[in-house]
Amino acid sequence: MYNFKDSAWKDTQSLISKSFICWNCNNQVASFIGYRDLADSTKKIYICHHCQGPNAFDNNGKSILSPLPGKEINKLPQNINNVYEEVRKCMQSNSFTGAVMLMRKIIMNIAVHEGAENNLTFYQYVDYLCENGIVPKKSKSKAVSVKDLGNSANHEIENRTQEEAQNCFEFIEMLLRVNYEFADEVVTK
């Protein structure tokens, strides 16, 4: 989350109240403070009363930046968390091809973190995760799908769609939550 807490927005106006989910803090808010375009009053910027973040809306009332998708995941190794947060920002800004490519990297990072050797082929990483129970038995095709979409994103001109990226994202988020957030705590004696 970006820090707008001490922002003193100058010359704000009273607007018609608008309910939205803030792109910055992910809180559901209703704001009536902000700015309107002097040439086109349908374009507005509302200030979130929770985080003070600016939320811009176009002529159709559509938010320019969507709220950050997914959830923060507890107990992720730092290198995996860094890539996961980058994926979330790509999804937020409609950078779906980049998101799919990064989700492929998450699978590689999980495999190495869980004991796979470095410099394996991507298919070997997927096999490692499946053979070691990291990917649920009935979800191997989802892992292969991330592999295939990421491969085409890397090697073909065609861009990935929001639907493809969303399907991959849901799988990656589930994989991370099950294997890290919901994993049993290791008890040492």
Side-chain angles (χ1 to χ4, degrees), residues 107-142:
I107 287 180
M108 293 169 48
N109 284 343
I110 294 169
V112 170
H113 183 265
E114 295 298 330
E117 295 178 27
N118 280 316
N119 301 318
L120 297 178
T121 67
F122 193 77
Y123 195 81
Q124 289 172 313
Y125 285 131
V126 171
D127 276 348
Y128 181 88
L129 293 174
C130 293
E131 290 168 7
N132 288 281
I134 308 301
V135 169
K137 186 175 171 180
K138 294 181 179 180
S139 297
K140 183 174 183 176
S141 65
K142 289 277 194 185

Side-chain angles (χ1 to χ4, degrees), residues 73-87:
I73 299 176
N74 296 321
K75 303 185 222 170
L76 283 181
Q78 191 61 51
N79 66 326
I80 295 172
N81 188 62
N82 290 346
V83 181
Y84 174 68
E85 290 301 320
E86 199 171 336
V87 167

Side-chain angles (χ1 to χ4, degrees), residues 34-54:
Y35 303 94
R36 82 178 104 241
D37 184 323
L38 296 177
D40 182 353
S41 65
T42 61
K43 298 175 193 168
K44 295 181 176 84
I45 298 174
Y46 285 88
I47 306 302
C48 171
H49 60 78
H50 180 76
C51 72
Q52 301 302 309

Side-chain angles (χ1 to χ4, degrees), residues 3-15:
N3 184 356
F4 293 100
K5 272 297 186 195
D6 295 323
S7 298
W9 298 103
K10 187 175 174 154
D11 298 328
T12 58
Q13 304 165 3
S14 288
L15 306 172

